[in-house]
Amino acid sequence: MVLAGNHAGEDGGNLVDFRGKPVDKSRTGGWLAAGLILGTELSERICVMGISMNLVTYLVGDLHLSSAKSANIVTNFMGTLNLLGLLGGFVADAKLGRYLTVAISASITALGVTLLTLATTIPSMRPPPCQNPRKQQCIEASGRQLAMLYTALYTIAVGGGGIKSNVSGFGSDQFDTSNPKEEKAMIYFFNRFYFCISLGSLFAVTFLVYIQDNVGRGWGYGISAGTMIIAVGILLCGTMLYRFRKPQGSPLTVISRVLYLAWKKRSVPYPPQVTMLNEYYNSTAPHTEKLRCLDKAAIITTLKTSTVTQVEEVKMVIMLLPIWSTCILFWTVYSQMNTFTIEQATFMDRKLGTFEIPAGSFSFFLFITILLFTSLNERVFVPIARKITHTVQGITCLQRVGIGLVFSIIGMVAAALVEKKRRDSFVHNNIRIMAFWLVPQFFLVGAGEAFAYVGQLEFFIREAPERMKSMSTGLFLSTLSMGYFVSSLLVSLVDKATKGKWLMSNLNKGKLENFYWMLAVLGVLNFGLFLGFAMRHQYKVQNYVVGEEEMKQKDVEIETIDDEKKMVAIAKEKP
């Protein structure tokens, strides 16, 4: 039975404490350190979700902007925030490290939310009130008034991008995956990470949105700003407990140089022995035969030469791209939960006794489902899978992504069926069916997100080279942005191709279910591609590590050997 762990240098060799000395793992890292770090992402999610889920009502109702312009402001803000994750990851990997980047980014976010609080409370930052917009021409917010709003939003975007791309990688640095106990703990880290941010989302769309609408924007955004400031303080207080990974230079420089040299040396013949490549024996990453054309960058010539380590790191990044491409459509499906699904609710019976539930509040079921399934993953699904597979992971990260994609497809099928029933009931019988019919699609897509988000995040962090982990997390975040942008593109194309017959403002006259069916079909095709890529993907580290309990039950001892610079633990039966 073969057990593989990370290369010793990868996990422990580059980790230091806050004084810059080699870490004492008995005094640093672990769940306490990771928990303090998670608080920063929890606060960021409270701020961002509290803004994005309810900003449109402020832009339309208080600043008197059109619905289309207001929607564009929000989607551009969210898209930019996720794309800036690439910048935040680059800065951390190249220069500042994850801790400093997270601390600075959290401070920037706190400043941005404070500015937003001022922008929404200072009377001069709003146009004159418009008592009856249907009978009078409302004055839109001026450029000066919008300037402060934009400054606040994009300050938050810069900070949020830096947090998102680094906090999960910094948290995972607190666990040594070459240690069976810490490896087992890290399996739960990503699940608990997403549980925390989903809890923050639930708090934002319920409590904060209520405060914003019924008490005041200043109070709602002020609470968010206070939460972010407290999170920065907690992060700094835990400095002595953290394990820090030193930045190892710009990953983009390494990538561009390897690609350039491989192209420049394309006509140079391969050496007779692979061991003749530059610094083969000193490589911290084992040489692989995949993408062999890049090996030419490590052929020793009169030109500059890359090392085998650098070539293998670039190979790792390139091998992430096929999976990256098939993750985009999931977030395209997910974006429907914030747009057309909410629009469906406005055409349905939302009364609960004498109280009418706001259409936007139905996203409550999405986040409740995410929290439910992240809990079930940790307490039910993973333990069962571990017993079946005899591995610590139980469910691999790509298996999680695949499950999430399947749930999203079924979710679109359910959405199409419900929309068909809703429209037929109204058109033929003049009956508005209960909005709770939307719960199944929220449930299915929410369950899919619980698997897909955790699986994608773990995949991009685990499979990236150590020096490029933050940037690879930014690459993951870009799938969210691309998902929103692809959704906008599909809506525009479908609207043009059907001449507005499918996606009409009055859903009773349109055929929204056809759009959902189209997404389901695209989902099936995308899942086929994903399976092909996933089956061919070879994990950077085959962490098929048997847990301690299983080892004791099987009466085995662990023996460590060095096989081509990889630490491989082999479990042998005792004689």
Side-chain angles (χ1 to χ4, degrees):
M1 188 181 299
V2 178
L3 312 174
N6 286 342
H7 185 278
E10 240 185 31
D11 267 307
N14 197 39
L15 289 175
V16 296
D17 61 17
F18 74 103
R19 295 188 180 93
K21 298 180 179 180
V23 294
D24 179 352
K25 293 180 181 178
S26 65
R27 297 174 179 272
T28 60
W31 276 115
L32 177 58
L36 297 176
I37 295 166
L38 286 181
T40 307
E41 176 60 21
L42 173 65
S43 299
E44 184 272 341
R45 180 55 68 100
I46 289 174
C47 292
V48 171
M49 293 304 295
I51 294 167
S52 63
M53 296 298 291
N54 205 35
L55 184 60
V56 169
T57 58
Y58 175 77
L59 297 175
V60 174
D62 291 63
L63 300 189
H64 311 144
L65 304 180
S66 67
S67 297
K69 187 174 182 179
S70 300
N72 284 339
I73 290 174
V74 176
T75 54
N76 289 340
F77 162 66
M78 290 299 292
T80 302
L81 187 150
N82 285 303
L83 281 178
L84 284 174
L86 283 170
L87 176 62
F90 168 78
V91 169
D93 286 335
K95 192 70 176 177
L96 295 181
R98 292 166 193 156
Y99 169 72
L100 273 180
T101 305
V102 170
I104 293 171
S105 298
S107 301
I108 292 173
T109 302
L111 173 63
V113 184
T114 302
L115 290 175
L116 184 64
T117 304
L118 295 175
T120 54
T121 53
I122 297 175
S124 61
M125 290 294 101
R126 298 191 299 271
C130 189
Q131 300 298 330
N132 196 336
R134 293 185 179 181
K135 294 184 178 180
Q136 66 183 94
Q137 185 68 34
C138 297
I139 300 174
E140 284 192 7
S142 65
R144 182 182 65 85
Q145 292 167 332
L146 288 176
M148 187 170 182
L149 179 73
Y150 287 145
T151 300
L153 289 177
Y154 286 98
T155 299
I156 296 170
V158 170
I163 293 172
K164 282 179 175 294
S165 58
N166 290 286
V167 72
S168 54
F170 186 37
S172 69
D173 284 343
Q174 310 312 308
F175 302 95
D176 179 2
T177 54
S178 65
N179 181 309
K181 288 185 178 180
E182 294 198 22
E183 163 69 12
K184 189 173 181 178
M186 188 173 172
I187 299 300
Y188 294 123
F189 168 75
F190 296 102
N191 207 58
R192 292 178 183 178
F193 170 81
Y194 198 56
F195 182 90
C196 283
I197 61 178
S198 298
L199 198 63
S201 299
L202 188 64
F203 175 81
V205 300
T206 52
F207 179 75
L208 281 186
V209 168
Y210 176 84
I211 293 295
Q212 291 167 15
D213 286 347
N214 296 280
V215 180
R217 294 277 169 174
W219 281 100
Y221 295 141
I223 291 173
S224 295
T227 301
M228 201 70 242
I229 292 170
I230 292 172
V232 173
I234 292 174
L235 178 72
L236 297 177
C237 286
T239 301
M240 292 186 294
L241 299 174
Y242 303 141
R243 299 172 185 174
F244 303 88
R245 193 177 298 279
K246 298 177 182 178
Q248 300 178 44
S250 168
L252 291 181
T253 301
V254 174
I255 293 171
S256 59
R257 183 169 58 196
V258 168
L259 294 177
Y260 171 76
L261 290 175
W263 171 257
K264 196 75 174 177
K265 300 180 183 181
R266 63 188 183 279
S267 58
V268 177
Y270 289 103
Q273 298 292 333
V274 70
T275 55
M276 297 175 67
L277 294 174
N278 187 30
E279 295 191 21
Y280 176 84
Y281 288 108
N282 295 326
S283 174
T284 58
H287 178 267
T288 61
E289 292 297 323
K290 287 196 171 185
L291 298 172
R292 191 163 176 258
C293 59
L294 295 181
D295 287 345
K296 294 202 171 186
I299 298 175
I300 300 174
T301 65
T302 55
L303 295 174
K304 289 183 179 179
T305 305
S306 297
T307 65
V308 170
T309 297
Q310 292 170 338
V311 170
E312 291 302 324
E313 287 177 340
V314 174
K315 287 182 182 181
M316 291 177 198
V317 173
I318 293 176
M319 294 305 295
L320 298 178
L321 297 181
I323 300 298
W324 175 87
S325 66
T326 54
C327 290
I328 292 173
L329 193 65
F330 176 85
W331 299 107
T332 298
V333 169
Y334 176 81
S335 67
Q336 310 313 313
M337 298 300 102
N338 298 325
T339 53
F340 287 121
T341 299
I342 300 300
E343 187 69 12
Q344 282 178 277
T346 63
F347 286 83
M348 303 172 80
D349 183 3
R350 292 177 279 115
K351 289 186 178 179
L352 191 62
T354 57
F355 176 72
E356 186 173 60
I357 303 172
S361 294
F362 277 87
S363 58
F364 168 85
F365 294 103
L366 179 71
F367 296 117
I368 280 292
T369 303
I370 293 170
L371 291 172
L372 172 64
F373 271 84
T374 48
S375 298
L376 290 176
N377 277 338
E378 180 172 326
R379 299 182 179 275
V380 180
F381 300 143
V382 170
I384 291 175
R386 185 182 292 122
K387 290 180 180 179
I388 295 173
T389 62
H390 302 293
T391 64
V392 170
Q393 288 91 339
I395 306 174
T396 67
C397 47
L398 288 181
Q399 287 171 346
R400 291 176 188 266
V401 175
I403 293 170
L405 293 177
V406 171
F407 268 118
S408 70
I409 294 169
I410 301 173
M412 286 298 93
V413 171
L417 294 175
V418 168
E419 174 58 15
K420 183 72 164 58
K421 177 178 177 61
R422 183 207 65 78
R423 192 167 54 82
D424 288 348
S425 296
F426 184 83
V427 172
H428 300 304
N429 302 312
N430 199 29
I431 296 175
R432 297 174 65 190
I433 65 173
M434 291 291 293
F436 289 101
W437 277 91
L438 298 173
V439 171
Q441 62 205 64
F442 276 119
F443 176 85
L444 290 165
V445 175
E449 185 183 359
F451 282 100
Y453 190 105
V454 174
Q456 290 175 34
L457 181 61
E458 182 179 357
F459 174 78
F460 282 96
I461 287 181
R462 281 184 177 270
E463 295 304 293
E466 288 301 323
R467 80 171 78 195
M468 302 180 187
K469 276 191 174 183
S470 295
M471 194 183 74
S472 70
T473 307
L475 189 65
F476 156 63
L477 292 172
S478 70
T479 63
L480 279 72
S481 292
M482 292 299 295
Y484 283 110
F485 295 146
V486 169
S487 177
S488 298
L489 178 63
L490 285 177
V491 168
S492 299
L493 292 176
V494 167
D495 196 46
K496 187 174 181 179
T498 62
K499 298 180 180 179
K501 293 181 180 179
W502 283 15
L503 307 175
M504 301 182 70
S505 297
N506 186 345
L507 296 186
N508 294 326
K509 296 181 179 180
K511 291 187 176 182
L512 177 60
E513 68 271 17
N514 289 349
F515 182 69
Y516 286 145
W517 282 119
M518 184 193 73
L519 287 176
V521 171
L522 290 175
V524 171
L525 297 175
N526 182 69
F527 181 67
L529 284 174
F530 170 80
L531 280 181
F533 293 142
M535 291 173 69
R536 293 185 177 186
H537 182 81
Q538 291 184 352
Y539 287 103
K540 181 180 73 172
V541 179
Q542 297 296 335
N543 287 303
Y544 297 120
V545 185
V546 177
E548 288 183 294
E549 293 302 319
E550 289 87 344
M551 290 178 180
K552 291 177 182 178
Q553 292 171 6
K554 295 187 178 184
D555 193 27
V556 297
E557 60 184 4
I558 301 302
E559 188 177 291
T560 302
I561 66 171
D562 187 0
D563 179 17
E564 292 185 2
K565 304 173 296 302
K566 292 183 295 182
M567 296 304 296
V568 181
I570 299 181
K572 292 183 176 180
E573 292 186 4
K574 288 181 180 179

